[in-house]
Amino acid sequence: MALRGEIDQAEAIAADAEHEARGRRLNDLLACVQLARGLAALYAGRYTEAYEALRRLFNPADSAFHLTERFHGVMFLAEAAARAGRAEDVRPVLAALEAEAVTTPAPTLHLHLSYARAVLAGDDEAEKLFLAALRADLTRWPWLRARLELAYGVWLRRQRRVAESRQPLRSALTTFDLIGAVSWAEQARSELRAAGERVAAQESAAQSVLSAQELQIARLAAEGLSNREIGERLYLSPRTVGSHLYRVFPKLDITSRAQLAARLGPG
């Protein structure tokens, strides 16, 4: 629920879970409770509250500490710290996790650390860290990739590189829509509008006639990816991608790939 931005539901479930776990030493469940609360607060813009909730996951003396569940909170702890002005407070925690990652193969930890490095970096290092994180194979991690793209797009726009910010923001929006992360999709739409893209009407027109998968394929094709490249990203055969595009064109009243970008939104 929290990952999809369904804040009220996430907080209610967290309260119920905490009640069930109280007094039973269910550290893994308590860790999930704090993660849900931290995510809900983070999405709602309550950054200090989010940081304090998530920080409990990383304190060995806290009942919410759990060796593996805490890995799922790394990226959110870093983001909350950055937005709450607590970046220096969190650096020792992340340094310890970096040292742990040397001998820990857990992909969740490594991928979350790649996000944390980028969002906590200074402007002179942030871009290379975002690009390094996005070069990883994130095919099995679409939500994390979309969060990276959203954060990178926001960073680009705030560096006044507005035109460059639109592509990662569009890609993030497509994925959030596809997986049903409605509230995060609204954040991406808001950032796109701030970047000068009239996204709302154009996205709704496409979404009214395309399925979620068709929309994602159309977006990737509009970005210039070949059928094979789209297939590799979405675990589809090139023939299946071509079949989807064959159905997309008449739905959008176009006849070629070159018309996709204009139909789906300005580049």
Side-chain angles (χ1 to χ4, degrees), residues 42 57 68 106-107 119 128 132 154 193 230 241 258 263:
L42 183 62
L57 292 169
T68 55
V119 299
K128 70 178 182 182
V154 169
R193 284 192 290 270
I230 295 170
V241 173
R263 189 68 180 87

Side-chain angles (χ1 to χ4, degrees), residues 13-187:
I13 291 171
D16 289 343
E18 184 175 43
H19 178 75
E20 289 295 320
R22 187 174 296 149
R24 297 169 63 185
R25 296 185 179 181
L26 298 178
N27 299 70
D28 55 344
L29 184 55
L30 289 170
C32 291
V33 166
Q34 288 308 118
L35 181 58
R37 283 182 171 154
L39 279 171
L42 183 62
Y43 178 77
R46 305 192 304 267
Y47 302 122
T48 298
E49 179 184 336
Y51 177 78
E52 291 173 352
L54 293 165
R55 183 65 179 81
R56 290 184 57 189
L57 292 169
F58 302 88
N59 179 1
D62 196 291
S63 60
F65 176 83
H66 191 272
L67 279 173
T68 55
E69 289 297 340
R70 64 194 166 122
F71 294 165
H72 297 279
V74 173
M75 67 184 290
F76 308 112
L77 178 70
E79 184 169 346
R83 292 181 176 252
R86 306 287 289 274
E88 293 309 311
D89 294 347
V90 82
R91 290 194 193 281
V93 176
L94 294 176
L97 288 166
E98 293 278 11
E100 192 171 341
V102 174
T103 56
T104 301
T108 300
L109 175 59
H110 289 268
L111 292 171
H112 274 241
L113 282 172
S114 71
Y115 183 98
R117 292 181 203 114
V119 299
L120 287 172
D123 288 341
D124 57 335
E125 293 187 329
E127 183 163 29
K128 70 178 182 182
L129 291 171
F130 274 120
L131 293 176
L134 287 165
R135 279 195 296 270
D137 182 2
L138 298 172
T139 308
R140 295 174 52 212
W141 307 80
W143 192 86
L144 192 147
R145 182 180 184 88
R147 292 283 287 125
L148 271 168
E149 290 170 331
L150 176 59
Y152 181 41
V154 169
W155 182 85
L156 285 169
R157 187 177 69 77
R158 290 175 182 170
Q159 297 297 307
R160 300 187 179 180
R161 294 163 60 181
V162 176
E164 293 175 70
S165 75
R166 294 172 190 151
Q167 189 279 328
L169 291 172
R170 282 197 301 267
S171 183
L173 174 58
T174 297
T175 300
F176 288 140
D177 278 336
L178 181 67
I179 64 179
V182 177
S183 297
W184 296 107
E186 283 306 310
Q187 281 198 2

